[in-house]
Amino acid sequence: MTQPIGVMYATAGGRYPFMAGIADALEMYLADNGYNIVFRMGASGGSLISALQSMGLDFETWLKRASTPKRMGRMKLGGLSSLNNLFNYATTGGFLSSKKIEEIFQDTFFTKTPTDLLCPTYAVSWCESSKKPVAFRLTTGNMASRVAASCALPVGISPVQIQNKELEPRIQKVLGVEDAPEDYSVFRDGGMCNGFPLKMIEGMINIPVIVVTIDLHVPGEDRGHINVFHKLMAKELQVKILDNINEIASRRSLSVFCVPCPAFLNRKYAVKFDLTVEEGMEMYAAGRTLAESRLWVHPLNLPKPVEIPTPEPIAVDLVPPEPEASDTVI
């Protein structure tokens, strides 16, 4: 019996290996200090990290599977692929194909019989067709498509279409698509949502939560656009995950763990998705080292661990139009 806690990973873009390094450092810190992670949630690149952590899959192992020349050729943005990127954008709404990204996830998440996730895990996505946020409960059967939907960066990656009858009944109901099972709903990057769409079941309201981000502004850091692709994507994507932090913190124990991504990594990798293993592990090492240093110098302000049983599983739903203060968390 240990203190239950939830971890939410915010957007990361092409710097998801940096977030992966932070995740390993943070989750080891939590385990060493008496905390038990009872749910994970992620938006955009953060959903990929949440999935990998809940599978217990070593990041370098996964990266070696994903970073083959054939797979990374599908993820090239700019350079010799510019004309192909522009054609994809004109025909699908994204420089890169979300279907190809989903195929990469499908081929690399599991190489043997899938095993159950270590805890309930959710991928946040914005339903463009219904103009509402969703939190997909990940399973071994739907993980590739739902994580791809959460990572569908506006302009950069084409939106993901999911047939309504394949959506969970609770999501069909809130999106208002129960009567159109053969139609499709369109999903985009989770960073477009106003916060994490999280509602806890009764008895879970007091669980402390950590939100992990790499994008809070660092004074004096150049925030200019990297290239034309980055400029177009930045214009469309409004990252809102942290907008309501103060309001959330007024109703539950919440910590924001920010490890700003260094400017030189932002310039190199913010919109680079065809990473080599060496490039990915460079970011991973930087994220882990910076997170470990920050945790050493500035320990997280968390409730003192208490010996209580791990709560029952969590129910995640959409944020209602007018949230009730008692049970809507984020």
Side-chain angles (χ1 to χ4, degrees), residues 310-321:
T310 298
E312 294 299 316
I314 297 166
V316 169
D317 209 335
L318 299 167
V319 172

Side-chain angles (χ1 to χ4, degrees), residues 183-220:
D183 292 345
Y184 287 79
S185 291
V186 180
F187 298 94
R188 284 192 175 275
D189 193 278
M192 299 178 70
C193 301
N194 285 307
F196 287 98
L198 178 69
K199 180 188 288 186
M200 313 293 281
I201 62 172
E202 184 179 0
M204 299 291 284
I205 192 67
N206 294 320
I207 288 182
V209 172
I210 301 172
V211 175
V212 184
T213 177
I214 64 175
D215 274 327
L216 291 185
H217 178 54
V218 178

